[in-house]
Amino acid sequence: MQAARDFKPFLALSAAAGSGKTFALTVRYLSLLFAGVSPAHILAATFTKKAVAEMQGRVAKVLRYLHEPDFAPYVERIAAQTQLSKTELLQRRETVLKRFLRERNHIVTLDSFFASVLRAGAPLLGFESDFGVEHLDQKRLEQLFLDEVKAAGALGTLVKMMAHLEKGKIDTLTDLLHRLYLAEPLMMVEIPEADYPHALEAKIARVQQEIYERLDTTGASNRAKNNFSGHEAKALFERGVFSNTSLVEVKDYKKYVAKDPMIETRYQEIRVLLKAWALQREAYFLHRLMQLYTLYKNARIAYIKRYGTVSFDDILHLSYRALHLSEDRYFLHFRLDEHFQHLLLDEFQDTSTLQFFLLEPLLEEIFAGKGQHASHSFFYVGDTKQSIYRFRGGNEALFDVVAKRHGVEIEPMDTNYRSATRIVAFVNRTFEGVIDGYVKQKANGYTHEGKAVEGYLKVCEDEAPIVRAIKEAERLLQAGVMAEEIAFLVHTNKESKQLHEACIEAGIPALLKSSTKLHKLPHIAALVSMLAYLFYGERVEAQPFCERIGKPLEALDLSWFSPTMAPVVALDRLVRDYGYFMEDPNLLRLMNIAASYTEISIFLEAFEKSDTDVAEGSLRGATIMTIHGSKGLEFAYTIVLDRIGKGGSDNDPLLFSYKDALYIDRLFWRMKGRENYDHAYAAYLTQRKALFEKDRLNTLYVALTRAVKGLIVVMKPEASIFAPLALQPMEEGSIHAKRHEERVHEMA
């Protein structure tokens, strides 16, 4: 590939909400194709199957219709990046399209790419490469873990650790071990062996008693003496009096210290002892936790070997071991370099540090310009303001870290092509000065009949957000807005269910995002259930299907069925014999899934766990989903609700401190009051709180940037999640609903 003047081999786009990120990514991919790069040599990775399908479809669509006026923006940008004339592009279009359709492309999710890496490396790790990918059965995993614990004679350690956890249950402990499993590849931490600090507790008790006695001698009040009145080390450690670096600073003690200065001396001594006690207690817990963690890892490997399945978390952890720790890792490195010359990454702000480390071998080859090919490139897009997956490992700092490390140029994309002008202006004034480094967006969004639409905006207060949201939706419907043009955004799945019930009661057609999976559709589930009846013989499984076709089971001729049939053959016979929703696009999706299985039992089990979405546009109604689920989507009218209940508390017992936003250089065991003694721990908590606040602002930014025509915010008058934005009740603009004839034209 010859480098064109406008083609920058190493480029990052900081793409604000609605700024055309997908367009830019598609143009980059197409420019490589027109420059002669094979689809097999381009890795274009994103995070969701939907995004993959969208990009694959868009690439094919642009190539098919590049000659039409609507696709002129693509022609212009591709021409600039390839230095080919528009005529040359159109002349090559058919050839490039055929090559794209004929050759294997690697427009994939990161998870599926890493799964392919693990399949190549599985033999190096001691298990077969034909594994399935699904969520692990936690009960099975817990049993295998307990088997490992018993075999290692570590039941005592297990019981002691569970006693120190808040809920004291096995699943609480395995959740903690799972977090270690995800974090281990990033850890640069030595955990020394340590005994429980009994000796320190004895010293603390002696000094505490001396302070109490000296206070009593000076005539101190019972309240003053109570802070040092025979408390066990943990209870003493948590006393609020130790938030003071000196007793002289405390009004209740100042006069007593003046009478007996040794009280202050012993106070300083006990503070030192309590800090040492906390550190040794932490080391004791962490050492035993790591002992159990080794057994937990063994249990996960045993699960993979026994059941032939891995989870997405296993894919990341084990791929890292194959690429970085295996003796034969250089073989895998060579295979990556041999395949891919160009790397395109979408939503880079959501990339985890571990995912980045898995990509490093490929990145190193690209940046070094080594390998079999002379031309390599790296391109990524994202928006750190939309980084809302820190809880899942997302590390927005990578966006700048990678750019600085490898000299990647970052270009801003600051024009909003999605939202009406009024909404863009609202978002600008809301977040400017609130999100650090916020760059105001230019508006070039929603238009109607060639004219810019200002849009509709409303902020309202109500102590009952769900009730108010229903009223606002009814007002939109009365104004002519279609139900499917409306999206409700909430904070939790529990809230989405509450809102869905309220919509049903109000007669508003609405769809829970979680219910838009194929296996949740009643008529699809009934068909698969009928297949289960044919295979297993349980009559109850046939009832939903019989009810839908209006015939009793005894009236059906099912003599044709054989348990050895392919699933798709049996399903097709049921559909054809009984005229079962034959024009439904979701039925086609079901058949496509079934066609990939040869055994009915395996298909039935896989279908229950599948996360395949329903066909686009096959369901009608307002969308109800969480803000996290809405990322990357847009809706004509968005109603954003305040949190209904209280937010989740930050009570993780195990805390990870990162160095340079990449490596874990310290583990902390959470202890109430520890910040009073340990400056490093206090600094970590301050930093952690700031990151939580940043994530909350990012979440609100995502919520308020989904709307195209209208945005309605329903906030509580007190304890509102919107409090940092200082919003005030207001209403601007008018509701823009499509005329009946416009809808008829679109449907045609």
Side-chain angles (χ1 to χ4, degrees):
M1 171 184 168
Q2 295 294 320
R5 189 167 59 250
D6 285 4
F7 185 88
K8 298 175 181 178
F10 308 117
L11 178 65
L13 297 180
S14 180
S19 61
K21 171 178 63 67
T22 306
F23 172 80
L25 197 64
T26 306
V27 165
R28 178 80 173 198
Y29 188 89
L30 287 166
S31 295
L32 292 171
L33 295 185
F34 274 101
V37 178
S38 166
H41 292 151
I42 307 170
L43 174 60
T46 187
F47 280 84
T48 66
K49 293 178 181 178
K50 182 176 181 180
V52 167
E54 180 182 353
M55 186 173 176
Q56 288 176 331
R58 186 174 293 204
V59 168
K61 185 176 182 180
V62 172
L63 286 173
R64 283 191 175 99
Y65 303 108
L66 193 65
H67 58 287
E68 296 190 359
D70 287 349
F71 293 85
Y74 285 96
V75 175
E76 182 178 340
R77 290 304 304 143
I78 296 169
Q81 291 198 20
T82 60
Q83 294 299 292
L84 294 171
S85 69
K86 295 179 182 180
T87 301
E88 289 174 309
L89 289 177
L90 295 178
Q91 288 174 343
R92 298 186 186 189
R93 178 186 64 85
E94 193 66 31
T95 301
V96 172
L97 174 60
K98 288 181 180 178
R99 190 178 189 187
F100 174 71
L101 296 176
R102 184 177 66 249
E103 297 184 16
R104 182 184 178 187
N105 73 71
H106 296 278
I107 301 175
V108 296
T109 63
L110 276 175
D111 284 332
S112 64
F113 170 66
F114 294 140
S116 68
V117 172
L118 182 57
R119 290 190 194 282
L124 308 180
L125 300 174
F127 57 90
E128 299 298 323
S129 60
D130 60 345
F131 54 78
V133 181
E134 60 184 50
H135 296 294
L136 301 190
D137 184 309
Q138 291 305 309
K139 294 301 180 184
R140 287 178 174 177
L141 179 60
E142 285 175 9
Q143 185 57 56
L144 289 172
F145 171 57
L146 289 174
D147 292 343
E148 292 285 340
V149 169
K150 291 174 185 176
L155 273 174
T157 301
L158 176 69
V159 171
K160 288 179 181 178
M161 284 303 304
M162 289 175 59
H164 289 286
L165 294 174
E166 185 178 345
K167 297 180 180 178
K169 297 179 180 178
I170 185 66
D171 57 348
T172 306
L173 177 61
T174 53
D175 284 346
L176 197 59
L177 295 172
H178 180 240
R179 290 187 61 217
L180 272 174
Y181 187 70
L182 295 176
E184 185 196 3
L186 314 179
M187 286 170 51
M188 301 175 62
V189 183
E190 290 289 336
I191 307 295
E193 184 172 359
D195 294 324
Y196 191 84
H198 293 296
L200 279 171
E201 288 184 350
K203 287 183 181 180
I204 288 167
R206 289 195 296 270
V207 177
Q208 178 185 199
Q209 180 63 27
E210 182 181 346
I211 294 174
Y212 178 87
E213 291 173 354
R214 287 182 178 278
L215 285 169
D216 187 54
T217 300
T218 62
S221 66
N222 288 334
R223 178 180 175 182
K225 290 187 294 184
N226 185 56
N227 281 319
F228 305 93
S229 179
H231 302 293
E232 291 185 359
K234 182 176 182 296
L236 182 68
F237 185 82
E238 296 175 359
R239 302 295 293 185
V241 68
F242 291 103
S243 63
N244 303 282
T245 57
S246 170
L247 279 181
V248 178
E249 301 171 359
V250 187
K251 183 179 180 181
D252 288 351
Y253 291 95
K254 190 173 183 179
K255 58 184 177 181
Y256 308 128
V257 173
K259 291 181 181 180
D260 184 355
M262 189 57 70
I263 294 174
E264 173 66 16
T265 301
R266 292 292 179 257
Y267 177 77
Q268 295 300 331
E269 182 179 336
I270 204 169
R271 281 179 60 84
V272 172
L273 288 171
L274 286 169
K275 179 180 179 180
W277 170 84
L279 290 173
Q280 188 172 337
R281 186 169 180 261
E282 175 184 71
Y284 171 82
F285 286 143
L286 291 180
H287 179 68
R288 276 145 189 79
L289 186 66
M290 295 307 290
Q291 288 178 319
L292 293 175
Y293 172 63
T294 299
L295 303 177
Y296 177 79
K297 282 196 299 183
N298 294 343
R300 292 193 78 106
I301 294 297
Y303 188 107
I304 294 169
K305 291 181 177 180
R306 179 176 297 186
Y307 299 108
T309 60
V310 302
S311 71
F312 290 111
D313 293 336
D314 290 318
I315 288 173
L316 291 177
H317 181 97
L318 297 173
S319 293
Y320 180 85
R321 285 174 58 180
L323 282 170
H324 291 268
L325 305 180
S326 168
E327 292 182 0
D328 297 313
R329 61 188 181 276
Y330 297 109
F331 167 72
L332 288 177
H333 292 189
F334 174 76
R335 288 190 62 176
L336 287 174
D337 180 42
E338 184 182 43
H339 269 94
F340 303 115
Q341 306 167 29
H342 304 275
L343 177 59
L344 286 69
L345 296 179
D346 190 14
E347 302 285 6
F348 193 69
Q349 78 283 344
D350 293 330
T351 304
S352 72
T353 307
L354 182 50
Q355 288 171 327
F356 169 68
F357 285 161
L358 290 175
L359 291 169
E360 259 198 324
L362 177 57
L363 285 173
E364 287 173 359
E365 293 298 332
I366 285 175
F367 286 117
K370 296 178 181 178
Q372 301 178 24
H373 309 284
S375 179
H376 294 71
S377 70
F378 177 44
F379 174 83
Y380 61 93
V381 294
D383 180 12
T384 55
K385 298 189 298 302
Q386 297 184 67
S387 176
I388 57 175
Y389 292 116
R390 192 185 309 277
F391 66 93
R392 237 168 40 187
N395 184 359
E396 66 183 81
L398 287 173
F399 198 94
D400 292 322
V401 167
V402 172
K404 291 177 181 177
R405 178 183 291 185
H406 297 291
V408 176
E409 182 179 347
I410 299 178
E411 291 184 356
M413 294 176 65
D414 59 358
T415 299
N416 188 309
Y417 297 100
R418 171 190 297 157
S419 304
T421 55
R422 198 181 301 278
I423 297 172
V424 175
F426 171 73
V427 170
N428 282 338
R429 65 175 180 264
T430 297
F431 290 100
E432 189 175 20
V434 176
I435 291 181
D436 289 341
Y438 181 83
V439 177
K440 293 176 68 173
Q441 280 191 282
K442 305 179 186 70
N444 188 19
Y446 181 68
T447 61
H448 179 68
E449 295 180 348
K451 297 180 180 179
V453 175
E454 291 190 348
Y456 177 70
L457 182 63
K458 184 174 185 179
V459 178
C460 50
E461 282 186 339
D462 201 300
E463 293 180 354
I466 287 181
V467 175
R468 184 56 176 268
I470 293 294
K471 290 180 180 178
E472 296 299 329
E474 288 174 335
R475 200 164 55 85
L476 292 176
L477 294 171
Q478 290 168 4
V481 175
M482 299 283 284
E484 51 267 31
E485 293 182 281
I486 302 171
F488 297 94
L489 302 187
V490 296
H491 293 266
T492 67
N493 288 323
K494 180 180 179 180
E495 292 171 2
S496 68
K497 292 175 182 177
Q498 292 174 319
L499 179 59
H500 188 240
E501 291 172 0
C503 283
I504 293 173
E505 187 175 337
I508 298 175
L511 304 167
L512 277 172
K513 180 62 177 176
S514 59
S515 68
T516 58
K517 298 298 180 183
L518 192 63
H519 70 281
K520 295 283 188 180
L521 294 181
H523 66 290
I524 296 295
L527 178 59
V528 176
S529 183
M530 185 63 186
L531 179 62
Y533 159 72
L534 291 173
F535 189 78
Y536 293 113
E538 296 289 339
R539 287 182 64 89
V540 67
E541 300 278 16
Q543 184 177 345
F545 181 84
C546 292
E547 289 177 353
R548 287 185 174 275
I549 64 172
K551 294 183 179 181
L553 182 59
E554 289 72 20
L556 307 186
D557 178 10
L558 303 172
S559 59
W560 51 266
F561 177 75
S562 167
T564 60
M565 277 183 166
V568 69
V569 173
L571 289 171
D572 182 67
R573 181 68 183 264
L574 287 171
V575 169
R576 292 184 183 279
D577 280 4
Y578 302 104
Y580 193 83
F581 297 94
M582 292 186 65
E583 302 302 320
D584 182 5
N586 289 303
L587 191 59
L588 178 59
R589 290 202 170 191
L590 175 65
M591 294 302 187
N592 286 337
I593 294 173
S596 61
Y597 293 90
T598 56
E599 296 181 32
I600 292 176
S601 61
I602 297 176
F603 163 72
L604 291 172
E605 183 179 353
F607 180 75
E608 283 300 312
K609 299 176 181 178
S610 70
D611 62 350
T612 304
D613 290 322
V614 300
E616 196 75 30
S618 62
L619 299 178
R620 299 288 180 181
T623 300
I624 301 174
M625 65 193 314
T626 63
I627 296 171
H628 280 81
S630 74
K631 190 166 171 294
L633 304 177
E634 62 180 52
F635 310 94
Y637 285 88
T638 303
I639 302 175
V640 184
L641 283 72
D642 211 327
R643 187 183 287 277
I644 309 302
K646 294 182 179 179
S649 57
D650 177 18
N651 56 7
D652 290 338
L654 187 62
L655 307 174
F656 301 96
S657 176
Y658 287 83
K659 179 181 181 182
D660 301 327
L662 293 176
Y663 297 99
I664 296 170
D665 64 348
R666 178 80 186 268
L667 296 182
F668 289 109
W669 187 263
R670 186 189 291 275
M671 299 181 203
K672 182 181 177 182
R674 182 174 175 178
E675 61 274 15
N676 295 331
Y677 312 85
D678 190 333
H679 295 305
Y681 181 81
Y684 169 80
L685 288 185
T686 300
Q687 181 188 46
R688 182 179 174 89
K689 183 178 180 181
L691 291 174
F692 270 75
E693 289 301 314
K694 190 175 191 311
D695 288 349
R696 183 163 71 151
L697 287 176
N698 288 353
T699 302
L700 295 177
Y701 176 80
V702 168
L704 301 187
T705 53
R706 301 304 96 197
V708 175
K709 302 179 189 178
L711 171 64
I712 299 172
V713 178
V714 181
M715 62 182 186
K716 295 184 294 188
E718 295 182 1
S720 171
I721 193 75
F722 297 101
L725 305 183
L727 299 180
Q728 297 297 321
M730 49 86 75
E731 185 173 15
E732 297 177 358
S734 57
I735 298 170
H736 180 271
K738 291 180 180 177
R739 298 190 302 271
H740 174 72
E741 55 269 24
E742 290 180 279
R743 296 196 185 107
V744 171
H745 176 72
E746 285 186 357
M747 293 175 66

Coordinates of all heavy atoms in Angstrom, one line a residue, residues 294-325:
T294 N -4.9 -19.8 44.2 CA -4.2 -20.8 43.4 C -5.2 -22.0 43.2 O -5.3 -22.5 42.1 CB -3.0 -21.3 44.1 OG1 -2.1 -20.2 44.3 CG2 -2.3 -22.4 43.4
L295 N -5.9 -22.3 44.2 CA -6.9 -23.4 44.1 C -8.1 -23.1 43.2 O -8.6 -23.9 42.5 CB -7.4 -23.8 45.5 CG -6.3 -24.2 46.5 CD1 -6.8 -24.5 47.9 CD2 -5.5 -25.4 46.0
Y296 N -8.4 -21.8 43.3 CA -9.5 -21.3 42.4 C -9.1 -21.4 41.0 O -9.9 -21.8 40.1 CB -9.9 -19.9 42.8 CG -10.9 -19.2 42.0 CD1 -12.3 -19.5 42.2 CD2 -10.6 -18.3 41.0 CE1 -13.3 -18.9 41.4 CE2 -11.6 -17.7 40.2 CZ -12.9 -18.0 40.4 OH -13.9 -17.4 39.6
K297 N -7.9 -21.0 40.7 CA -7.4 -21.1 39.3 C -7.5 -22.6 38.8 O -7.8 -22.9 37.7 CB -6.0 -20.5 39.1 CG -6.0 -19.0 39.1 CD -4.6 -18.5 38.6 CE -3.5 -19.0 39.4 NZ -2.2 -18.4 39.0
N298 N -7.0 -23.5 39.7 CA -7.0 -24.9 39.4 C -8.5 -25.3 39.0 O -8.7 -26.1 38.1 CB -6.5 -25.7 40.5 CG -5.0 -25.4 40.7 OD1 -4.3 -24.9 39.9 ND2 -4.5 -25.8 41.9
A299 N -9.4 -24.8 39.8 CA -10.8 -25.2 39.6 C -11.3 -24.7 38.3 O -12.1 -25.5 37.6 CB -11.7 -24.6 40.8
R300 N -10.9 -23.6 37.8 CA -11.4 -23.1 36.5 C -10.8 -23.9 35.4 O -11.5 -24.2 34.4 CB -11.0 -21.6 36.4 CG -11.8 -20.7 37.3 CD -11.6 -19.2 36.9 NE -12.4 -18.9 35.8 CZ -13.5 -18.1 35.9 NH1 -14.0 -17.7 37.0 NH2 -14.3 -17.8 34.8
I301 N -9.5 -24.3 35.5 CA -8.9 -25.2 34.5 C -9.6 -26.5 34.5 O -9.9 -27.1 33.4 CB -7.4 -25.3 34.7 CG1 -6.7 -24.0 34.5 CG2 -6.9 -26.4 33.8 CD1 -6.8 -23.4 33.2
A302 N -10.0 -27.0 35.7 CA -10.7 -28.3 35.8 C -12.0 -28.2 35.1 O -12.5 -29.1 34.5 CB -10.8 -28.7 37.2
Y303 N -12.7 -27.0 35.3 CA -14.0 -26.8 34.7 C -13.9 -26.9 33.2 O -14.7 -27.5 32.5 CB -14.6 -25.5 35.1 CG -16.0 -25.2 34.8 CD1 -17.0 -25.2 35.7 CD2 -16.3 -24.9 33.4 CE1 -18.3 -24.9 35.3 CE2 -17.6 -24.6 33.1 CZ -18.6 -24.6 34.0 OH -19.9 -24.4 33.7
I304 N -12.9 -26.2 32.6 CA -12.7 -26.1 31.2 C -12.5 -27.5 30.6 O -13.1 -27.9 29.6 CB -11.5 -25.2 30.8 CG1 -11.9 -23.8 31.2 CG2 -11.2 -25.3 29.3 CD1 -10.7 -22.8 31.1
K305 N -11.6 -28.3 31.3 CA -11.3 -29.7 30.8 C -12.5 -30.6 30.9 O -12.8 -31.4 30.1 CB -10.1 -30.2 31.6 CG -8.8 -29.5 31.3 CD -7.7 -30.1 32.1 CE -6.4 -29.5 31.7 NZ -5.2 -30.0 32.5
R306 N -13.3 -30.4 32.0 CA -14.5 -31.3 32.2 C -15.6 -31.0 31.3 O -16.3 -31.9 30.8 CB -14.9 -31.3 33.7 CG -16.1 -32.2 34.0 CD -16.5 -32.2 35.4 NE -15.4 -32.8 36.3 CZ -15.5 -33.0 37.6 NH1 -16.7 -32.7 38.2 NH2 -14.5 -33.5 38.2
Y307 N -15.9 -29.7 31.2 CA -17.2 -29.3 30.5 C -16.9 -28.7 29.1 O -17.9 -28.5 28.3 CB -18.0 -28.3 31.3 CG -18.4 -28.9 32.6 CD1 -17.8 -28.5 33.8 CD2 -19.4 -29.9 32.7 CE1 -18.2 -29.0 35.1 CE2 -19.8 -30.4 33.9 CZ -19.2 -30.0 35.1 OH -19.5 -30.5 36.3
G308 N -15.6 -28.5 28.7 CA -15.3 -28.0 27.4 C -15.8 -26.6 27.1 O -16.0 -26.3 25.9
T309 N -16.0 -25.8 28.1 CA -16.4 -24.4 27.9 C -15.5 -23.5 28.6 O -15.0 -23.8 29.7 CB -17.9 -24.2 28.3 OG1 -18.0 -24.5 29.7 CG2 -18.8 -25.1 27.6
V310 N -15.4 -22.3 28.1 CA -14.7 -21.2 28.8 C -15.7 -20.0 28.8 O -16.6 -19.8 28.0 CB -13.4 -20.8 28.1 CG1 -12.5 -22.0 28.0 CG2 -13.7 -20.2 26.7
S311 N -15.4 -19.1 29.8 CA -16.2 -17.8 29.8 C -15.3 -16.7 29.1 O -14.1 -17.0 28.8 CB -16.4 -17.4 31.3 OG -15.2 -17.0 31.9
F312 N -15.9 -15.6 28.9 CA -15.2 -14.5 28.3 C -14.0 -14.0 29.2 O -13.0 -13.6 28.7 CB -16.1 -13.3 28.1 CG -17.1 -13.5 26.9 CD1 -18.4 -13.7 27.2 CD2 -16.6 -13.7 25.6 CE1 -19.3 -13.9 26.2 CE2 -17.5 -13.9 24.6 CZ -18.9 -14.1 24.9
D313 N -14.2 -14.2 30.5 CA -13.1 -13.8 31.4 C -11.9 -14.8 31.3 O -10.8 -14.4 31.4 CB -13.6 -13.8 32.9 CG -14.6 -12.6 33.1 OD1 -14.5 -11.6 32.3 OD2 -15.4 -12.7 34.0
D314 N -12.3 -16.1 31.1 CA -11.2 -17.1 30.9 C -10.4 -16.8 29.6 O -9.2 -16.9 29.5 CB -11.8 -18.5 30.7 CG -12.4 -19.0 32.0 OD1 -11.7 -18.8 33.1 OD2 -13.5 -19.6 32.0
I315 N -11.2 -16.3 28.6 CA -10.5 -16.0 27.3 C -9.4 -15.0 27.5 O -8.3 -15.1 27.0 CB -11.5 -15.5 26.3 CG1 -12.4 -16.6 25.8 CG2 -10.9 -14.8 25.1 CD1 -13.6 -16.2 24.9
L316 N -9.7 -13.9 28.3 CA -8.7 -12.8 28.5 C -7.6 -13.4 29.3 O -6.4 -13.2 29.0 CB -9.4 -11.7 29.2 CG -10.4 -10.8 28.4 CD1 -11.0 -9.7 29.3 CD2 -9.7 -10.2 27.2
H317 N -7.9 -14.0 30.4 CA -6.8 -14.5 31.3 C -5.9 -15.5 30.7 O -4.7 -15.4 30.7 CB -7.5 -15.1 32.6 CG -6.5 -15.6 33.6 ND1 -6.1 -14.9 34.7 CD2 -5.8 -16.8 33.7 CE1 -5.3 -15.5 35.4 NE2 -5.1 -16.7 34.8
L318 N -6.5 -16.5 30.0 CA -5.7 -17.6 29.4 C -5.0 -17.1 28.1 O -3.9 -17.6 27.8 CB -6.6 -18.8 29.1 CG -7.2 -19.4 30.4 CD1 -8.2 -20.5 30.0 CD2 -6.2 -19.9 31.3
S319 N -5.6 -16.2 27.4 CA -4.9 -15.7 26.2 C -3.7 -14.9 26.6 O -2.6 -15.0 26.0 CB -5.8 -14.7 25.4 OG -6.9 -15.4 24.9
Y320 N -3.8 -14.2 27.8 CA -2.6 -13.5 28.3 C -1.5 -14.5 28.6 O -0.3 -14.3 28.3 CB -3.0 -12.7 29.5 CG -1.8 -11.9 30.1 CD1 -1.4 -10.7 29.6 CD2 -1.0 -12.5 31.1 CE1 -0.3 -10.0 30.1 CE2 0.1 -11.8 31.6 CZ 0.4 -10.6 31.1 OH 1.5 -9.9 31.6
R321 N -1.9 -15.6 29.3 CA -0.9 -16.6 29.6 C -0.2 -17.2 28.4 O 1.0 -17.4 28.3 CB -1.5 -17.7 30.5 CG -1.8 -17.3 31.9 CD -2.6 -18.3 32.7 NE -1.9 -19.6 32.7 CZ -2.4 -20.7 33.4 NH1 -3.6 -20.6 34.0 NH2 -1.8 -21.8 33.4
A322 N -1.0 -17.4 27.4 CA -0.5 -18.0 26.1 C 0.4 -17.1 25.4 O 1.5 -17.5 24.9 CB -1.7 -18.4 25.2
L323 N 0.1 -15.8 25.4 CA 0.8 -14.8 24.6 C 2.1 -14.2 25.4 O 3.1 -13.8 24.8 CB 0.0 -13.6 24.3 CG -1.0 -13.8 23.1 CD1 -2.0 -12.6 23.0 CD2 -0.2 -13.9 21.8
H324 N 2.0 -14.2 26.7 CA 3.1 -13.6 27.5 C 3.9 -14.5 28.4 O 5.0 -14.2 28.7 CB 2.5 -12.5 28.3 CG 2.0 -11.3 27.5 ND1 2.8 -10.2 27.2 CD2 0.8 -11.0 27.0 CE1 2.2 -9.4 26.5 NE2 0.9 -9.8 26.3
L325 N 3.3 -15.7 28.8 CA 3.9 -16.5 29.7 C 4.4 -17.9 29.2 O 5.2 -18.5 29.7 CB 3.0 -16.7 31.0 CG 2.5 -15.5 31.6 CD1 1.6 -15.8 32.8 CD2 3.7 -14.6 32.1

